[in-house]
Amino acid sequence: MVGAIESIKDITDRKNMEEALKESQEQFSLFVDMLPHRVFIKDESHGVVYVNQYVKELFSGDKWIGKDAFKVLPDRRRTGNLVEMRRR
């Protein structure tokens, strides 16, 4: 006996949403990277999940990703015009 079972699911809507999300994330990054301010995003446990280009250039901030924001942020910069966004 020979047989096959097939399952077909239309994922067009999901692919369209994924593409829209990717485009939105790219637009956000382009905008935030142009700001002349230090911007980073941290999660609920204070882990850094995003830094803008200004932070990368000023503090080698690309090394911050995945680390505790309070441990990587220089003491003198903890107060001032730092823009902080929290991801929920």
Side-chain angles (χ1 to χ4, degrees), residues 11-73:
I11 59 169
T12 303
D13 290 339
R14 179 185 172 123
K15 288 295 184 183
N16 289 340
M17 286 189 288
E18 288 174 354
E19 185 62 34
L21 177 61
K22 181 180 175 185
E23 184 177 325
S24 176
Q25 290 171 332
E26 289 171 356
Q27 289 175 349
F28 170 81
S29 290
L30 285 171
F31 172 74
V32 174
D33 280 344
M34 293 175 57
L35 295 174
H37 299 285
R38 297 170 298 276
V39 178
F40 71 94
I41 299 173
K42 63 182 183 174
D43 60 19
E44 57 280 345
S45 62
H46 305 291
V48 177
V49 295
Y50 176 86
V51 294
N52 72 340
Q53 191 62 35
Y54 194 85
V55 171
K56 288 177 184 177
E57 292 171 3
L58 200 60
F59 302 111
S60 298
D62 50 343
K63 297 175 185 175
W64 290 13
I65 304 299
K67 297 185 179 166
D68 186 318
F70 293 108
K71 292 181 180 174
V72 295
L73 187 62

Side-chain angles (χ1 to χ4, degrees), residues 71-82:
K71 292 181 180 174
V72 295
L73 187 62
D75 290 338
R76 63 186 169 81
R77 299 289 186 193
R78 287 187 183 155
T79 59
N81 65 347
L82 182 69

